[in-house]
Amino acid sequence: MPFVAAIDQGTTSSRCIVFDSDSRIVAIDQREHRQIFPRPGWVEHDASEIWERVQQVVTGALAKAGLRPDELSAVGITNQRETTVLWDRATGRPVHNAIVWQDTRTDVLCAELGRHRFQAETGLPLASYFSGPKIRWLLDHVPGLRERAERGELMFGTMDTWLIWNLTGGAAHVTDVTNAGRTSLMNLATLGWDPKILAALGVPESVLPEIRSSAEHYGTATGVLEGVPIAAALGDQHAALLGQTCFDPGEAKSTYGTGAFLLLNTGKEIVRSSHGLLTTLGYQFGGEPPVYALEGSIANTGSLTQWLRDKMGLIATAAEVETLALSVEDSGGLYFVPAFSGLFAPHWSPDARGVLVGMTGYAGKGHLARAVLESTAWQTREVVDAMLLDVAGLSAGMPLRSLRVDGGMTANNLLMQTIADVLDVPVERPFVAETTCLGAAHAAGLVTGVWPDLDALRAEWRRAAEWTPRMDAATRSRHQRKWAKAVERAKGWLDADDLEEEDS
Ligand SMILES: Nc1ncnc2c1ncn2[C@@H]1O[C@H](COP(=O)(O)OP(=O)(O)O)[C@@H](O)[C@H]1O
Ligand SMILES: O=P(O)(O)OC[C@H](O)CO
């Protein structure tokens, strides 16, 4: 029986899953890496540590599966997107910590360049979230880097590129369209680096990888995966779209990990959002035309559970957030807007910061836990509302008769019920909740012939759990009004001098 491995290099951890040809999980191994917070608003990772963890989880998963690398048909890579690594071409060593997607240090730069300047080309507002401004920051602020880049000594990559380069022993410097589309440097229509944007941002083309499709042969692995074809690369949200088998226009999924990301397949059409969503690549298989998507990105969801655990000390494990929230009946009038990295979709307010409102002496830690979980549901609602407005009248049609969900937070029943209540549609979780890895494995397995076509994959999607709405309309609109008021209180918190301090 052929096996396929997927490596998911996420924001908080890396995992490797081995699937069999019936898409069943044979083995899984996972390891966390450090979150480095050098200043308020800054978030970094050590790319060498991540490469170590990836090798460990690959070795771990193969050992648990009792398989040798030569028994794998292929490996697919999926990854946290936008996080930016620069490394030395000769030594292969990173020249700085990776700047993580949540990091806000480039806000001032983006405002100076103009937030909507390249939106027509890239489908994205210019925001600190994306890789291009992060590259520019590194070249401007780390002594000697710009000169080294101009001399062709440096390489840039998001995590897909960094891993493929390391897995191939430095043979392949490539990325795929879904990852390249998140740099703010790629033109959505041509699928190539846009020279005008490179010039405006001051990014030399010599540092950039070659842009390829999401499913093709990029190279053969050495080391821990000796001899295995690397046959897929996708940003994690795009892989989850595949793993949830959202192959048709109008199909949507939402993934709840560190952040939450709702993607709607819009088919071959590039749909421009007028309501604060991103236009992004869904995926591209080999030489076929690309499939596009609309995305609602929410910066902080699961990260809040970690914050309650690691910074506030209110819980000892992630699962305990649900127990704590269930110790009370409701949030006691509390609303928590987690604008830790400003607010992403649909607001794109870099000057917002987190607020907790509605405090009285009655409020306790159970109420806080509940308000924190509810913030994920309300942020989802905002994104869904924006999406409905964007697609009204389009062939993609009405996106939401139900919402397919996945990611670490879907273990939380209270949260899933709250999302169903707040959206007023059923929420469905598939049998294989590891849809990100599944999507990457499927894309790789399509290339090497483990699965014949998309219909074979679609037939394998099975619902494991469903939550149906239970909240009455009046209660929902009362909470929605309060949530909207709370969001307004989070916006505009930072002043110009605060932003400049973060940038320097
Ligand atoms: N039961 C739970 N309730 C709420 N949050 C959870 C729960 N279990 C895990 N999480 C959160 O989900 C995230 C992990 O999900 P995962 O999909 O692995 O994320 P990522 O791919 O972003 O690293 C962490 O931020 C963790 O705090
Ligand atoms: O690692 P995740 O699952 O939090 O996903 C991160 C996103 O890709 C950021 O855009």
Side-chain angles (χ1 to χ4, degrees):
M1 170 176 290
F3 298 94
V4 180
I7 297 170
D8 176 5
Q9 201 305 293
T11 310
T12 54
S13 69
S14 304
R15 76 195 84 184
C16 176
I17 302 186
V18 178
F19 293 91
D20 67 18
S21 56
D22 289 326
S23 304
R24 283 186 301 234
I25 294 179
V26 179
I28 175 165
D29 200 36
Q30 178 169 3
R31 278 174 195 249
E32 293 200 356
H33 56 265
R34 279 175 308 137
Q35 304 296 314
I36 304 165
F37 300 107
R39 296 191 199 187
W42 291 28
V43 191
E44 297 180 355
H45 290 160
D46 175 349
S48 299
E49 181 191 0
I50 286 180
W51 169 231
E52 286 266 303
R53 298 287 164 270
V54 166
Q55 293 175 89
Q56 288 163 345
V57 297
V58 166
T59 308
L62 284 176
K64 287 180 192 173
L67 291 172
R68 296 182 312 269
D70 64 11
E71 291 171 279
L72 297 177
S73 170
V75 60
I77 312 286
T78 179
N79 56 287
Q80 56 166 322
R81 305 165 301 169
E82 300 99 9
T83 297
T84 297
V85 195
L86 278 185
W87 67 94
D88 185 292
R89 192 182 288 275
T91 66
R93 276 200 286 278
V95 295
H96 191 273
N97 276 339
I99 302 186
V100 178
W101 58 276
Q102 297 153 314
D103 188 294
T104 58
R105 77 186 68 179
T106 59
D107 274 342
V108 171
L109 172 66
C110 294
E112 280 168 9
L113 286 163
R115 296 216 175 270
H116 299 289
R117 182 138 162 228
F118 305 118
Q119 199 153 1
E121 291 84 356
T122 64
L124 315 168
L126 197 58
S128 61
Y129 180 19
F130 306 109
S131 319
K134 297 180 198 293
I135 305 177
R136 160 75 176 261
W137 188 95
L138 287 166
L139 298 181
D140 282 355
H141 288 83
V142 182
L145 281 197
R146 180 161 295 282
E147 295 71 28
R148 287 166 73 185
E150 306 285 351
R151 288 200 298 267
E153 293 170 13
L154 298 185
M155 293 174 127
F156 154 77
T158 39
M159 284 298 165
D160 54 320
T161 306
W162 170 242
L163 294 184
I164 294 173
W165 193 81
N166 277 293
L167 281 168
T168 58
H173 187 217
V174 296
T175 187
D176 92 300
V177 289
T178 66
N179 277 296
R182 315 293 295 195
T183 57
S184 277
L185 304 174
M186 190 191 81
N187 187 304
L188 266 189
T190 65
L191 305 182
W193 302 120
D194 190 311
K196 190 171 74 235
I197 306 178
L198 297 187
L201 271 173
V203 173
E205 192 161 1
S206 62
V207 304
L208 300 176
E210 185 188 345
I211 304 175
R212 308 267 286 265
S213 84
S214 318
E216 60 176 89
H217 186 82
Y218 307 109
T220 303
T222 57
V224 289
L225 281 173
E226 183 70 41
V228 180
I230 305 170
L234 297 123
D236 49 10
Q237 305 311 322
H238 315 265
L241 191 72
L242 287 184
Q244 291 274 26
T245 68
C246 295
F247 303 135
D248 287 333
E251 292 184 327
K253 68 87 206 178
S254 190
T255 301
Y256 294 94
T258 310
F261 303 88
L262 204 150
L263 266 72
L264 169 75
N265 182 324
T266 61
K268 312 269 183 294
E269 230 177 311
I270 299 184
V271 177
R272 311 267 170 200
S273 175
S274 348
H275 300 92
L277 303 177
L278 308 178
T279 305
T280 199
L281 265 299
Y283 49 86
Q284 184 191 24
F285 293 132
E288 291 176 22
V291 169
Y292 292 91
L294 269 179
E295 172 175 324
S297 331
I298 302 167
N300 284 286
T301 57
S303 57
L304 306 172
T305 309
Q306 287 170 288
W307 173 76
L308 287 176
R309 185 191 65 186
D310 303 339
K311 294 284 171 79
M312 305 304 277
L314 290 182
I315 48 175
T317 64
E320 277 179 30
V321 69
E322 186 171 3
T323 319
L324 182 57
L326 284 170
S327 68
V328 292
E329 274 186 9
D330 55 32
S331 73
L334 294 190
Y335 292 83
F336 182 73
V337 183
F340 291 5
S341 314
L343 286 170
F344 283 17
H347 306 286
W348 299 105
S349 303
D351 58 359
R353 281 299 175 267
V355 295
L356 177 62
V357 291
M359 286 290 283
T360 62
Y362 172 74
K365 52 189 180 181
H367 301 107
L368 174 62
R370 207 144 179 140
V372 164
L373 289 180
E374 286 174 1
S375 74
T376 292
W378 286 112
Q379 292 186 99
T380 306
R381 171 73 197 230
E382 290 180 322
V383 160
V384 166
D385 285 347
M387 219 162 248
L388 290 175
L389 290 170
D390 272 336
V391 301
L394 279 182
S395 53
M398 161 73 186
L400 221 67
R401 267 172 225 94
S402 66
L403 184 66
R404 291 187 168 185
V405 297
D406 51 72
M409 288 188 100
T410 60
N412 191 316
N413 277 300
L414 174 64
L415 173 63
M416 294 303 108
Q417 181 60 50
T418 309
I419 293 173
D421 287 343
V422 158
L423 296 184
D424 200 23
V425 295
V427 167
E428 303 179 300
R429 190 179 60 205
F431 188 69
V432 179
E434 297 283 355
T435 49
T436 300
C437 277
L438 184 64
H442 279 169
L446 282 172
V447 173
T448 57
V450 176
W451 292 283
D453 53 29
L454 296 185
D455 285 341
L457 302 179
R458 203 183 261 112
E460 286 182 1
W461 192 95
R462 301 248 188 292
R463 187 171 71 202
E466 184 179 34
W467 295 266
T468 48
R470 293 200 299 231
M471 190 183 271
D472 65 81
T475 309
R476 188 164 40 245
S477 16
R478 186 162 47 80
H479 285 308
Q480 194 170 9
R481 276 198 306 277
K482 285 285 191 216
W483 168 260
K485 277 174 86 170
V487 168
E488 287 314 308
R489 279 160 176 73
K491 285 181 179 174
W493 178 254
L494 290 192
D495 299 317
D497 50 350
D498 295 322
L499 283 166
E500 261 148 38
E501 206 167 291
E502 276 191 10
D503 183 49
S504 59

